[in-house]
Amino acid sequence: MIEKIYQIGKCLSGNQEPIDKYVQKVKIKKNTKIDESFESETKLFIAKVVYNIPELRIEFELQKEYELGDEKRYNFLDTPRARSRKFHLVWLSKDFKNLVKYPFKEIKTQISLERDKIKDFDEKFAYLCKMINMVIESKIDGNKIYTPDNVLESEKFKVYLRKKTGNLSDNIEDQINELHTDLTEEYIKKFLLELKPKQDIAFYIPVIKYLDETETLKEAYITEHREYRNFYLLTKNDTSVTSANIDNSTVTEYCYLCKQKAESVKVPTFERGAITQIFVTTTINSARNISDNKYKENFSICNDCLEAIKVGEKYIREHYRFKFAELNTYLIPYFYDIKDDFDYQLVSNEIKKDTELLFQGAEVKNFINSIKDELDDTSDKFQFWKNNIFSLTFISYQSDGNSFKITNIIEEVSKSRFEIIIKAFAEEFAKLTDYVRKFSIESIYSLIPVKNNSKAKNEAMEFFNALFKLNIIERKNIIKHFCQSMHYLFHLKPDKFYTSSDIYKNLKKGEIFDFTIKDYVFRYLIIINALEKLNILKQEVKSMSEDLLKCEEEAFINTQKLGEQERSLFYLGLILRKIAVKQQSKGHYSAPILQKIQFQGMNSKDIQRLYLDIMEKVKQYEIEKWTNDREELHRYMKGFHNYFDRNLKNWQLSEEENVFYLLSGYAYLVADSTINKDEALENKTNELEGDNKNGN
């Protein structure tokens, strides 16, 4: 895995400065536009926190409107993770309580820890140390924050003070002191910076206001100074500042990644929360008799490669993150043949764009057409798809900002395998476009039940793991997922309270359950048929005789390659649908006959009992009196008996499969024109409970 991250960093590091890999990007909200032409959208500003030493107070002012690239100019650097010392000096709003009052004490403590790393430390960081000591020695009280006179005189501010502090006295100074003990983002933005609606702060920079030797008032933008950048690099053990070794147990002259001799190699240590922590650097769980020294001898890395890894990881975090099965996921491409003129950013960004669209709603047929267009295109932009051999790795993870836990890895999905898988789904979808309007890889996630519990097994992700590795998938497991979904959705009540462990967070129920059945059945048929095409579906051999019926339903059944037992249930489902339509025509839009189905599974005896219940309804609704209904009913009954009776003694389908193929027949007759959907929704709430109890 680390080789893939290293490749990204190596391709990109040639155009970067050492500090670039640590620069954070401002998180811009979707409705925020960084452009003068978007006056109505939210504008971002950079604010400065002025440590006014002559006045012994802290002031807040707007510095400028934010522009892309200001992160690097003002050195908006990565925040130390977890419980690491917070010595950085460019802040977000959430840092106020801990950092605005006492930031320079933190960085001074860090200086004492870093002093021994390089020679002539005091000389190389003289300016930084001078500015920090100046603020600390002035003893500026963090509570003494300057509030402009026009704000103090504002009635709006006085009302805000009383509300926030609960202090009803007329002494504003007491109220303000009370407010300063717990700085709030609202107070700073609304009153000290006087932001207007649709204005916000990108980040805050510290400015030190002081008197020089000539008693001239000056401002020091400390974070823009090269010494601040170099000090930050020193804390990261960056080789551009020092060649000191992080791990002193240097045991070899060969680098694990570049395979070249190097003056300094070391066993890498990575920050908490880093993707690269997946790279194992200990002998835990390794083979016996492998000494610690020998292990390090194999996996030591040179300084240049270590820096490339940092560049690669930063690029992945910023550019290759998306949602996969509702999990935060990193996409990591790996190219097997990189030429001198290879444009990594162009090629990898195109691959990421196509892949992200595929997993976030793009139809599989559109994806295939897009790739075909790129293959046919002769422009330089699309040559990468046919000229490059690459694989894709998906790392899904959970993170709270401090810790980083990898929950799933799908590693090295080759370009050809990726195309084969998507093509199989696209072809099967094309056969069922009369029944399914859209189908994407993302939609598979909404079909497989996933418990609303982070500790529960993610069955959808297990499916994707097997799919992209082309491992064998049990047919019975796919059908089981279908039955679980149907059982849950059928019994789901909007007014009932469910605990989080009882809820499948990804399943969606439509207003009319008939359309939910139809949608799930045909999407599952696409999945099953695609897996068969890929030869990764484990299933029993289907029994089939030459004595097949000649009717229009058989044409569809043949395209699905159903065996005799599946066909019998399909025909029973057709009869079931006829009863449901009659019930809906009488105003019973929930089709009470569906309550006869045990969605979690039905054995052959349950099927026989259901058939008898259906025949009772046929008599009750006098379906045989209507010519069209009578002809269809007789054809469906003939189909059921033709296949069911001769297979009953040797019934091989599972209980879940019985339900799936029964509902397949039901779904086949569900069309948009079958039910007036608007009328159904309008009358659905008017059904009487007695209708369901009586089975009408």
Side-chain angles (χ1 to χ4, degrees):
M1 182 64 64
I2 201 167
E3 292 91 340
K4 300 174 177 61
I5 300 173
Y6 162 69
Q7 183 190 75
I8 296 172
K10 185 179 178 182
C11 292
L12 298 172
S13 57
N15 300 322
Q16 289 197 337
E17 296 179 14
I19 198 66
D20 289 350
K21 56 182 169 287
Y22 301 111
V23 175
Q24 288 194 80
K25 281 201 168 185
V26 171
K27 295 180 180 179
I28 301 174
K29 298 178 181 178
K30 290 183 179 180
N31 66 333
T32 304
K33 300 294 183 182
I34 311 302
D35 193 304
E36 293 180 359
S37 61
F38 292 91
E39 295 293 339
S40 63
E41 300 291 350
T42 303
K43 284 188 176 181
L44 292 179
F45 292 87
I46 296 171
K48 57 183 182 181
V49 184
V50 181
Y51 293 83
N52 190 329
I53 294 176
E55 299 289 341
L56 292 178
R57 68 190 187 192
I58 298 174
E59 303 163 355
F60 284 83
E61 301 174 9
L62 290 180
Q63 170 71 2
K64 63 184 288 288
E65 189 172 340
Y66 167 77
E67 299 176 41
L68 295 176
D70 279 342
E71 297 95 333
K72 182 176 179 181
R73 175 183 172 183
Y74 292 100
N75 290 304
F76 181 41
L77 306 176
D78 282 341
T79 304
R81 299 179 183 278
R83 297 183 179 179
S84 302
R85 183 166 285 104
K86 306 296 190 294
F87 60 85
H88 60 297
L89 295 177
V90 180
W91 315 296
L92 296 169
S93 300
K94 65 180 181 180
D95 298 325
F96 282 137
K97 292 182 181 178
N98 298 322
L99 297 178
V100 172
K101 297 182 180 180
Y102 315 107
F104 296 99
K105 291 183 180 179
E106 292 287 330
I107 195 171
K108 185 175 182 178
T109 303
Q110 191 67 31
I111 285 175
S112 65
L113 298 174
E114 305 292 337
R115 193 178 295 277
D116 295 333
K117 282 190 176 180
I118 60 174
K119 297 178 180 179
D120 305 323
F121 180 93
D122 292 333
E123 180 180 340
K124 292 181 178 179
F125 296 99
Y127 176 81
L128 180 66
C129 293
K130 176 185 175 182
M131 291 294 110
I132 291 170
N133 289 330
M134 187 184 296
V135 177
I136 293 175
E137 290 171 4
S138 70
K139 298 182 180 180
I140 293 180
D141 188 348
N143 287 337
K144 290 187 177 178
I145 295 174
Y146 174 67
T147 304
D149 291 339
N150 65 312
V151 174
L152 291 174
E153 295 170 0
S154 167
E155 286 299 324
K156 188 175 181 181
F157 180 65
K158 293 177 182 178
V159 172
Y160 174 81
L161 272 179
R162 294 190 186 96
K163 181 179 179 182
K164 282 294 179 182
T165 64
N167 191 334
L168 302 179
S169 70
D170 294 329
N171 192 328
I172 294 181
E173 186 175 346
D174 289 344
Q175 293 175 334
I176 290 177
N177 288 337
E178 195 171 329
L179 185 66
H180 289 173
T181 60
D182 186 18
L183 284 174
T184 63
E185 188 176 2
E186 180 186 16
Y187 166 58
I188 290 169
K189 291 181 179 179
K190 191 172 183 179
F191 296 104
L192 300 186
L193 295 173
E194 299 183 88
L195 292 183
K196 298 177 182 178
K198 296 189 177 180
Q199 291 183 345
D200 207 348
I201 300 300
F203 53 81
Y204 296 76
I205 61 172
V207 176
I208 301 173
K209 187 179 288 188
Y210 66 100
L211 296 173
D212 65 5
E213 294 81 358
T214 63
E215 296 298 313
T216 303
L217 190 63
K218 289 190 174 182
E219 290 186 344
Y221 288 79
I222 187 172
T223 61
E224 293 184 56
H225 200 277
R226 59 179 175 79
E227 287 188 13
Y228 176 73
R229 291 195 299 271
N230 288 341
F231 178 74
Y232 188 90
L233 292 171
L234 180 65
T235 66
K236 299 294 184 181
N237 300 288
D238 196 283
T239 56
S240 62
V241 178
T242 174
S243 58
N245 203 336
I246 306 172
D247 186 343
N248 293 322
S249 57
T250 301
V251 292
T252 180
E253 293 182 346
Y254 283 92
C255 174
Y256 167 74
L257 289 174
C258 65
K259 316 301 181 188
Q260 302 296 319
K261 283 187 176 182
E263 293 181 1
S264 176
V265 293
K266 57 201 170 196
V267 177
T269 58
F270 302 109
E271 283 192 3
R272 182 178 180 180
I275 308 171
T276 38
Q277 281 193 328
I278 195 173
F279 180 65
V280 179
T281 57
T282 70
T283 55
I284 297 173
N285 295 328
S286 63
R288 295 177 62 186
N289 299 324
I290 296 181
S291 69
D292 188 57
N293 287 339
K294 291 294 182 182
Y295 194 90
K296 292 178 179 179
E297 191 172 311
N298 287 324
F299 295 105
S300 295
I301 297 174
C302 70
N303 290 328
D304 290 342
C305 291
L306 191 58
E307 294 307 312
I309 290 171
K310 293 177 182 178
V311 172
E313 173 154 353
K314 183 175 186 294
Y315 193 80
I316 291 169
R317 286 182 182 278
E318 293 179 354
H319 299 279
Y320 289 160
R321 183 169 58 183
F322 71 108
K323 287 283 188 180
F324 178 16
E326 289 195 6
L327 294 174
N328 289 318
T329 301
Y330 290 120
L331 168 69
I332 304 178
Y334 183 76
F335 299 90
Y336 293 95
D337 184 22
I338 295 182
K339 300 178 176 60
D340 293 337
D341 59 347
F342 183 74
D343 189 335
Y344 185 89
Q345 284 182 297
L346 171 65
V347 173
S348 60
N349 287 344
E350 287 295 327
I351 291 174
K352 194 259 183 180
K353 181 182 69 175
D354 285 339
T355 307
E356 186 177 25
L357 285 173
L358 183 66
F359 284 96
Q360 294 187 347
E363 290 190 43
V364 287
K365 63 179 182 180
N366 293 341
F367 179 83
I368 292 298
N369 292 336
S370 173
I371 297 303
K372 185 178 184 302
D373 292 341
E374 293 173 2
L375 291 173
D376 295 339
D377 198 309
T378 57
S379 65
D380 293 337
K381 180 179 179 181
F382 296 125
Q383 292 304 301
F384 74 85
W385 193 270
K386 53 187 173 184
N387 291 343
N388 292 288
I389 302 173
F390 60 87
S391 65
L392 302 173
T393 294
F394 303 90
I395 300 179
S396 299
Y397 67 93
Q398 293 176 343
S399 176
D400 58 5
N402 295 323
S403 61
F404 180 85
K405 178 184 177 183
I406 293 175
T407 57
N408 190 72
I409 298 178
I410 303 176
E411 192 168 5
E412 294 187 352
V413 181
S414 68
K415 178 184 73 171
S416 58
R417 191 196 310 169
F418 194 74
E419 290 177 340
I420 289 170
I421 291 170
I422 303 306
K423 185 179 179 181
F425 280 95
E427 289 177 351
E428 294 306 318
F429 170 49
K431 296 176 183 177
L432 293 175
T433 51
D434 290 339
Y435 308 96
V436 181
R437 293 178 180 177
K438 294 181 179 180
F439 186 86
S440 66
I441 295 298
E442 179 199 36
S443 67
I444 297 176
Y445 174 71
S446 65
L447 300 174
I448 300 176
V450 176
K451 279 289 183 74
N452 190 23
N453 184 346
S454 59
K455 295 182 180 180
K457 186 177 181 181
N458 190 323
E459 296 287 355
M461 190 55 74
E462 292 290 322
F463 172 83
F464 286 121
N465 273 340
L467 173 64
F468 284 104
K469 293 175 184 177
L470 291 182
N471 291 341
I472 296 297
I473 297 175
E474 296 277 353
R475 181 191 188 92
K476 63 180 181 181
N477 289 339
I478 300 296
I479 303 297
K480 183 179 179 181
H481 293 325
F482 171 83
C483 290
Q484 285 179 332
S485 300
M486 288 293 99
H487 176 77
Y488 172 77
L489 294 174
F490 182 75
H491 294 284
L492 183 65
K493 306 297 182 185
D495 56 344
K496 181 180 177 181
F497 174 77
Y498 296 89
T499 62
S500 59
S501 60
D502 293 330
I503 297 176
Y504 292 120
K505 60 182 179 180
N506 60 320
L507 301 183
K508 301 293 186 279
K509 182 179 182 179
E511 293 288 345
I512 302 297
F513 191 60
D514 282 344
F515 295 107
T516 301
I517 294 175
K518 178 184 178 182
D519 187 56
Y520 272 71
V521 163
F522 286 104
R523 289 178 187 275
Y524 266 90
L525 284 174
I526 291 172
I527 294 173
I528 291 171
N529 294 338
L531 297 181
E532 287 183 348
K533 185 181 287 291
L534 293 168
N535 294 317
I536 60 172
L537 188 67
K538 184 178 181 181
Q539 58 183 341
E540 300 293 332
V541 178
K542 300 172 183 176
S543 61
M544 185 62 62
S545 69
E546 296 182 359
D547 184 20
L548 299 178
L549 298 177
K550 305 297 181 182
C551 61
E552 59 185 81
E553 288 77 20
E554 287 286 321
F556 172 80
I557 293 173
N558 289 334
T559 63
Q560 301 305 306
K561 302 176 183 178
L562 302 186
E564 289 192 2
Q565 295 179 17
E566 292 94 330
R567 289 172 187 244
S568 68
L569 295 168
F570 186 90
Y571 278 108
L572 184 59
L574 296 175
I575 306 173
L576 181 70
R577 177 60 188 159
K578 297 294 288 184
I579 301 300
V581 170
K582 285 296 181 184
Q583 291 181 331
Q584 290 163 349
S585 68
K586 293 179 177 294
H588 310 303
Y589 292 100
S590 62
I593 189 65
L594 292 177
Q595 295 183 13
K596 301 291 185 179
I597 299 175
Q598 301 170 33
F599 287 95
Q600 288 182 309
M602 300 175 69
N603 57 33
S604 57
K605 291 184 178 180
D606 294 328
I607 295 298
Q608 289 175 296
R609 282 193 290 269
L610 176 63
Y611 176 76
L612 295 176
D613 290 334
I614 291 174
M615 289 299 103
E616 181 182 339
K617 295 301 176 187
V618 169
K619 294 178 181 178
Q620 178 181 339
Y621 293 118
E622 300 180 330
I623 294 178
E624 292 186 282
K625 287 187 176 181
W626 303 93
T627 305
N628 292 335
D629 288 339
R630 182 174 64 247
E631 292 177 358
E632 288 180 347
L633 178 64
H634 288 172
R635 186 167 72 246
Y636 299 159
M637 291 174 62
K638 181 179 179 181
F640 171 72
H641 286 291
N642 185 61
Y643 296 122
F644 186 82
D645 294 349
R646 65 189 183 204
N647 285 281
L648 181 57
K649 292 183 179 180
N650 188 29
W651 196 261
Q652 296 177 347
L653 294 182
S654 68
E655 294 183 2
E656 289 86 359
E657 287 175 313
N658 290 340
V659 174
F660 177 72
Y661 289 106
L662 172 70
L663 292 179
S664 296
Y666 186 94
Y668 177 77
L669 290 182
V670 176
D672 290 344
S673 59
T674 304
I675 308 172
N676 185 319
K677 194 171 183 179
D678 292 335
E679 182 183 352
L681 290 173
E682 182 180 349
N683 291 282
K684 184 179 178 182
T685 56
N686 296 328
E687 292 186 37
L688 299 175
E689 292 182 1
D691 292 336
N692 292 336
K693 293 178 181 179
N694 297 328
N696 292 328

